Amino acid sequence: MASRPEQGGGPGAPAEAIPVSVCYADVGRIWQRELSLPAGSTVADAIEASGFRREFPEVDPTRSGTGVYGRRRPLEHVLHPHDRVEIYRPLVFDPKESRRRRAAHKAAAGQRAQVARRG
């Protein structure tokens, strides 16, 4: 009678591996690594395994933020097969302040146009 192999490869075998990618969009370039990690790995595990910290020592993912497919996720988030871990850049401008400036600029342009029509 032939024996069936155990699920997962038997004692001492690595856990089932899941494919994931880690990416970071820097100014002018996109950095990406494809990885195979043990099931149950976290965002932090993927970042560590990718070599990101060696490539970008000036970027701290704990401060700039991380996500999976455009949704913010903490470093403790457990990954699923084919997840794309994203490391975000710190914001250069406050989006609310930028919106206020655009609105003020648009209002000022509208006032200048009204004055020009009257003149």
PDB file of all heavy atoms in Angstrom, residues 55-70:
ATOM      1  N   GLU A  55      17.427  49.558   0.039  1.00  0.00           N
ATOM      2  CA  GLU A  55      17.324  50.409  -1.157  1.00  0.00           C
ATOM      3  C   GLU A  55      16.936  51.841  -0.823  1.00  0.00           C
ATOM      4  O   GLU A  55      17.373  52.775  -1.480  1.00  0.00           O
ATOM      5  CB  GLU A  55      16.291  49.833  -2.127  1.00  0.00           C
ATOM      6  CG  GLU A  55      16.688  48.543  -2.771  1.00  0.00           C
ATOM      7  CD  GLU A  55      17.439  48.752  -4.073  1.00  0.00           C
ATOM      8  OE1 GLU A  55      17.312  49.825  -4.685  1.00  0.00           O
ATOM      9  OE2 GLU A  55      18.164  47.829  -4.455  1.00  0.00           O
ATOM     10  N   PHE A  56      16.071  52.011   0.174  1.00  0.00           N
ATOM     11  CA  PHE A  56      15.538  53.328   0.523  1.00  0.00           C
ATOM     12  C   PHE A  56      15.651  53.560   2.034  1.00  0.00           C
ATOM     13  O   PHE A  56      14.632  53.634   2.735  1.00  0.00           O
ATOM     14  CB  PHE A  56      14.070  53.451   0.094  1.00  0.00           C
ATOM     15  CG  PHE A  56      13.860  53.294  -1.378  1.00  0.00           C
ATOM     16  CD1 PHE A  56      13.556  52.054  -1.927  1.00  0.00           C
ATOM     17  CD2 PHE A  56      13.987  54.381  -2.233  1.00  0.00           C
ATOM     18  CE1 PHE A  56      13.375  51.905  -3.291  1.00  0.00           C
ATOM     19  CE2 PHE A  56      13.808  54.245  -3.588  1.00  0.00           C
ATOM     20  CZ  PHE A  56      13.501  52.997  -4.126  1.00  0.00           C
ATOM     21  N   PRO A  57      16.871  53.688   2.555  1.00  0.00           N
ATOM     22  CA  PRO A  57      17.020  53.841   4.014  1.00  0.00           C
ATOM     23  C   PRO A  57      16.382  55.120   4.555  1.00  0.00           C
ATOM     24  O   PRO A  57      16.050  55.202   5.733  1.00  0.00           O
ATOM     25  CB  PRO A  57      18.537  53.854   4.221  1.00  0.00           C
ATOM     26  CG  PRO A  57      19.114  54.192   2.897  1.00  0.00           C
ATOM     27  CD  PRO A  57      18.146  53.706   1.864  1.00  0.00           C
ATOM     28  N   GLU A  58      16.171  56.107   3.678  1.00  0.00           N
ATOM     29  CA  GLU A  58      15.589  57.379   4.119  1.00  0.00           C
ATOM     30  C   GLU A  58      14.066  57.320   4.260  1.00  0.00           C
ATOM     31  O   GLU A  58      13.459  58.227   4.824  1.00  0.00           O
ATOM     32  CB  GLU A  58      15.962  58.505   3.139  1.00  0.00           C
ATOM     33  CG  GLU A  58      15.293  58.423   1.789  1.00  0.00           C
ATOM     34  CD  GLU A  58      15.873  57.399   0.801  1.00  0.00           C
ATOM     35  OE1 GLU A  58      16.818  56.658   1.134  1.00  0.00           O
ATOM     36  OE2 GLU A  58      15.352  57.340  -0.327  1.00  0.00           O
ATOM     37  N   VAL A  59      13.429  56.261   3.768  1.00  0.00           N
ATOM     38  CA  VAL A  59      11.972  56.142   3.835  1.00  0.00           C
ATOM     39  C   VAL A  59      11.598  55.200   4.981  1.00  0.00           C
ATOM     40  O   VAL A  59      12.057  54.067   5.044  1.00  0.00           O
ATOM     41  CB  VAL A  59      11.392  55.589   2.507  1.00  0.00           C
ATOM     42  CG1 VAL A  59       9.879  55.439   2.609  1.00  0.00           C
ATOM     43  CG2 VAL A  59      11.773  56.488   1.347  1.00  0.00           C
ATOM     44  N   ASP A  60      10.760  55.704   5.874  1.00  0.00           N
ATOM     45  CA  ASP A  60      10.295  54.907   7.001  1.00  0.00           C
ATOM     46  C   ASP A  60       8.832  54.520   6.764  1.00  0.00           C
ATOM     47  O   ASP A  60       7.944  55.361   6.898  1.00  0.00           O
ATOM     48  CB  ASP A  60      10.427  55.713   8.292  1.00  0.00           C
ATOM     49  CG  ASP A  60       9.971  54.938   9.518  1.00  0.00           C
ATOM     50  OD1 ASP A  60       9.606  53.746   9.393  1.00  0.00           O
ATOM     51  OD2 ASP A  60       9.980  55.529  10.616  1.00  0.00           O
ATOM     52  N   PRO A  61       8.563  53.263   6.404  1.00  0.00           N
ATOM     53  CA  PRO A  61       7.188  52.847   6.131  1.00  0.00           C
ATOM     54  C   PRO A  61       6.232  53.049   7.306  1.00  0.00           C
ATOM     55  O   PRO A  61       5.037  53.227   7.102  1.00  0.00           O
ATOM     56  CB  PRO A  61       7.311  51.363   5.794  1.00  0.00           C
ATOM     57  CG  PRO A  61       8.722  51.179   5.374  1.00  0.00           C
ATOM     58  CD  PRO A  61       9.506  52.181   6.164  1.00  0.00           C
ATOM     59  N   THR A  62       6.755  53.064   8.528  1.00  0.00           N
ATOM     60  CA  THR A  62       5.877  53.279   9.676  1.00  0.00           C
ATOM     61  C   THR A  62       5.372  54.712   9.709  1.00  0.00           C
ATOM     62  O   THR A  62       4.289  54.981  10.219  1.00  0.00           O
ATOM     63  CB  THR A  62       6.592  52.969  11.012  1.00  0.00           C
ATOM     64  OG1 THR A  62       7.726  53.823  11.150  1.00  0.00           O
ATOM     65  CG2 THR A  62       7.042  51.522  11.065  1.00  0.00           C
ATOM     66  N   ARG A  63       6.110  55.646   9.134  1.00  0.00           N
ATOM     67  CA  ARG A  63       5.691  57.055   9.112  1.00  0.00           C
ATOM     68  C   ARG A  63       4.955  57.415   7.827  1.00  0.00           C
ATOM     69  O   ARG A  63       3.994  58.162   7.842  1.00  0.00           O
ATOM     70  CB  ARG A  63       6.909  57.961   9.276  1.00  0.00           C
ATOM     71  CG  ARG A  63       7.583  57.726  10.625  1.00  0.00           C
ATOM     72  CD  ARG A  63       8.569  58.760  10.954  1.00  0.00           C
ATOM     73  NE  ARG A  63       7.805  59.943  11.407  1.00  0.00           N
ATOM     74  CZ  ARG A  63       8.292  61.157  11.377  1.00  0.00           C
ATOM     75  NH1 ARG A  63       9.494  61.374  10.932  1.00  0.00           N
ATOM     76  NH2 ARG A  63       7.569  62.164  11.796  1.00  0.00           N
ATOM     77  N   SER A  64       5.436  56.888   6.697  1.00  0.00           N
ATOM     78  CA  SER A  64       4.834  57.270   5.417  1.00  0.00           C
ATOM     79  C   SER A  64       3.562  56.478   5.121  1.00  0.00           C
ATOM     80  O   SER A  64       2.726  56.926   4.361  1.00  0.00           O
ATOM     81  CB  SER A  64       5.839  57.103   4.279  1.00  0.00           C
ATOM     82  OG  SER A  64       6.324  55.784   4.228  1.00  0.00           O
ATOM     83  N   GLY A  65       3.436  55.314   5.702  1.00  0.00           N
ATOM     84  CA  GLY A  65       2.232  54.513   5.533  1.00  0.00           C
ATOM     85  C   GLY A  65       2.397  53.377   4.542  1.00  0.00           C
ATOM     86  O   GLY A  65       3.257  53.410   3.665  1.00  0.00           O
ATOM     87  N   THR A  66       1.569  52.370   4.717  1.00  0.00           N
ATOM     88  CA  THR A  66       1.583  51.193   3.848  1.00  0.00           C
ATOM     89  C   THR A  66       0.149  50.816   3.507  1.00  0.00           C
ATOM     90  O   THR A  66      -0.791  51.215   4.194  1.00  0.00           O
ATOM     91  CB  THR A  66       2.258  49.994   4.549  1.00  0.00           C
ATOM     92  OG1 THR A  66       1.595  49.730   5.780  1.00  0.00           O
ATOM     93  CG2 THR A  66       3.735  50.255   4.808  1.00  0.00           C
ATOM     94  N   GLY A  67       0.009  50.038   2.456  1.00  0.00           N
ATOM     95  CA  GLY A  67      -1.314  49.590   2.061  1.00  0.00           C
ATOM     96  C   GLY A  67      -1.229  48.355   1.196  1.00  0.00           C
ATOM     97  O   GLY A  67      -0.146  47.897   0.830  1.00  0.00           O
ATOM     98  N   VAL A  68      -2.384  47.833   0.862  1.00  0.00           N
ATOM     99  CA  VAL A  68      -2.510  46.699  -0.045  1.00  0.00           C
ATOM    100  C   VAL A  68      -3.554  47.090  -1.079  1.00  0.00           C
ATOM    101  O   VAL A  68      -4.697  47.395  -0.722  1.00  0.00           O
ATOM    102  CB  VAL A  68      -2.914  45.408   0.700  1.00  0.00           C
ATOM    103  CG1 VAL A  68      -3.143  44.265  -0.287  1.00  0.00           C
ATOM    104  CG2 VAL A  68      -1.854  45.024   1.730  1.00  0.00           C
ATOM    105  N   TYR A  69      -3.147  47.147  -2.324  1.00  0.00           N
ATOM    106  CA  TYR A  69      -4.028  47.547  -3.427  1.00  0.00           C
ATOM    107  C   TYR A  69      -4.775  48.850  -3.140  1.00  0.00           C
ATOM    108  O   TYR A  69      -5.988  48.953  -3.296  1.00  0.00           O
ATOM    109  CB  TYR A  69      -5.017  46.432  -3.773  1.00  0.00           C
ATOM    110  CG  TYR A  69      -4.378  45.306  -4.543  1.00  0.00           C
ATOM    111  CD1 TYR A  69      -4.284  44.044  -3.992  1.00  0.00           C
ATOM    112  CD2 TYR A  69      -3.856  45.520  -5.815  1.00  0.00           C
ATOM    113  CE1 TYR A  69      -3.697  43.007  -4.694  1.00  0.00           C
ATOM    114  CE2 TYR A  69      -3.262  44.497  -6.520  1.00  0.00           C
ATOM    115  CZ  TYR A  69      -3.180  43.246  -5.960  1.00  0.00           C
ATOM    116  OH  TYR A  69      -2.586  42.230  -6.647  1.00  0.00           O
ATOM    117  N   GLY A  70      -4.039  49.871  -2.708  1.00  0.00           N
ATOM    118  CA  GLY A  70      -4.613  51.196  -2.542  1.00  0.00           C
ATOM    119  C   GLY A  70      -5.413  51.421  -1.274  1.00  0.00           C
ATOM    120  O   GLY A  70      -5.972  52.493  -1.082  1.00  0.00           O
TER     121      GLY A  70
END
